[in-house]
Amino acid sequence: ELKVEQNPLFLSMQEGKNYTIYCNYSTTSDRLYWYRQDPGKSLESLFVLLSNGAVKQEGRLMASLDTKARLSTLHITAAVHDLSATYFCAVEHGDSNYQLIWGAGTKLIIKP
Amino acid sequence: DGGITQSPKYLFRKEGQNVTLSCEQNLNHDAMYWYRQDPGQGLRLIYYSQIVNDFQKGDIAEGYSVSREKKESFPLTVTSAQKNPTAFYLCASITSSNVYQPQHFGDGTRLSIL
């Protein structure tokens, strides 16, 4: 069974600090997605990582993928309050190019 | 602007009642999905459809039904057999011509029991 585990599930941090969210998955997959969800809202795509060693950056967020370790990281640099949200990673199901298996999400609270 | 429209935004279900959640997209996407999200949880797949008139069960299909009569529409019915329907329901779509694109989501429907 394909499992996707995120940690931590909850993170409270101060503005200006750096931190990393981890996403581990249990089967081979070359495609991993990061999404953001604000409270009560839908999901917004952040990054699509398509191959081993892929690194994407947008503002203070940087995502990377190591398919050999089955690990993706989402790094936050010099956090600001606006980055407070829940972050999900999702891995493509091996049997179907269209299905995603989702992590439980990391709720990030950034305090001023 | 292209996008996915889910309606209603809030829905209340009485005991023994079936309710239908609407999902319409004008992105010309081929594949559509229904997810359920419980508070503090990730997304779980209910049903998905890759082409018109065809759909497959996801991990938690029991108590739900769908149809895909048109490319742009993928309604979800929550039947009375679903004993715990209270959740946030999200519809998503993706084009099959470029599967490396992320799934695009609607704004969701929040369903509660009266």
Side-chain angles (χ1 to χ4, degrees), chain B residues 10-77:
Chain B
Y10 299 96
L11 186 58
F12 297 91
R13 194 191 88 171
K14 294 180 182 177
E15 199 75 35
Q17 185 183 41
N18 294 350
V19 292
T20 297
L21 285 60
S22 171
C23 177
E24 304 276 333
Q25 53 97 1
N26 61 4
L27 300 165
N28 199 33
H29 283 176
D30 303 288
M32 297 185 73
Y33 306 79
W34 274 106
Y35 292 98
R36 169 177 171 145
Q37 186 179 32
D38 292 285
Q41 305 291 318
L43 277 65
R44 291 184 291 167
L45 183 64
I46 306 173
Y47 270 98
Y48 67 102
S49 168
Q50 296 181 3
I51 56 172
V52 173
N53 292 323
D54 188 44
F55 47 83
Q56 286 77 40
K57 293 182 179 179
D59 299 320
I60 56 165
E62 187 173 349
Y64 300 96
S65 65
V66 294
S67 63
R68 186 90 186 273
E69 297 176 2
K70 299 185 296 183
K71 185 176 183 178
E72 55 271 22
S73 178
F74 191 40
L76 173 74
T77 296

